[in-house]
Amino acid sequence: HVCRTLQNLAAGSVRQKRSLLEAGVLGELAQTVDLHASDEEVVAQICALVINLLGDAPEIYSIFVSDGQIFARLSNIIAKHSSSDAVSVAACWAALKLALGGDRVCMAMMSAGIGKQLLDVLEIQRANEGVQLSICTTLKTLAQTADTICSELVRMGAVEAMVSALQRCDAIPPERRNALRSRWTQVREQAVLALRVLTTSETAKTAEVLRQINDAGLVGDVFGNEMQPHYDVL
């Protein structure tokens, strides 16, 4: 009940969000996660509260970075509850909301291991279109933020993960993929965009990466009609 009340307050104005933050809500959230780490309902509500707190105010993101407590907790939540549909959806959308906060936030996310956890959950939650969409979009956003993050994601296997996500989308019957309220078309769009960003990294410019994309029949999706970029020969 307390989490729901805080969610409602956090969904208010920037002034309300700042009041909650100044009252120490991030510290309280961190303690609650530590005490109720196995309670899926509580953990999902905390992720929803984080989403509401962030809103669209840049100064709120700065407070999250300065406080620093949420990043490691979110990483642990994603890892611990990777098989839970409800928590995975909430946690992955919270990660996406955080990733919109710019360089410092994205660096903090990567330092906390969130990038790696998202790649793991992408494979575990293969049939969950909400999780697939939020993770593909988050990885695209992280990769766009800085070359160092893009290269790190490539080293973690993000190219292979996006290729697999696209293959899963293409394996879904068209009538299901294009059904009302289905998100699989959006998943495919975001996975393609993520691949386009990831393949700009020098780390990805290898014959092996090109081979993976070519073997999956995705060269046209990723590179369009433009000349394929030069790849170093392994």
Side-chain angles (χ1 to χ4, degrees), residues 8 52-53 60 64 67 71 77 82 85 105 109 134 148 152 173 175-176 228 231:
N8 292 332
N52 286 353
L53 270 174
I60 301 298
F64 268 73
D67 180 85
F71 299 100
I77 287 171
S82 59
D85 288 356
V105 177
M109 290 174 68
S134 59
T148 52
E152 188 175 352
E175 62 273 16
R176 181 184 163 201
Q228 294 176 6
Y231 278 71

Side-chain angles (χ1 to χ4, degrees), residues 37 49 71 130 155 207 220:
L49 176 52
F71 299 100
R155 285 191 291 270

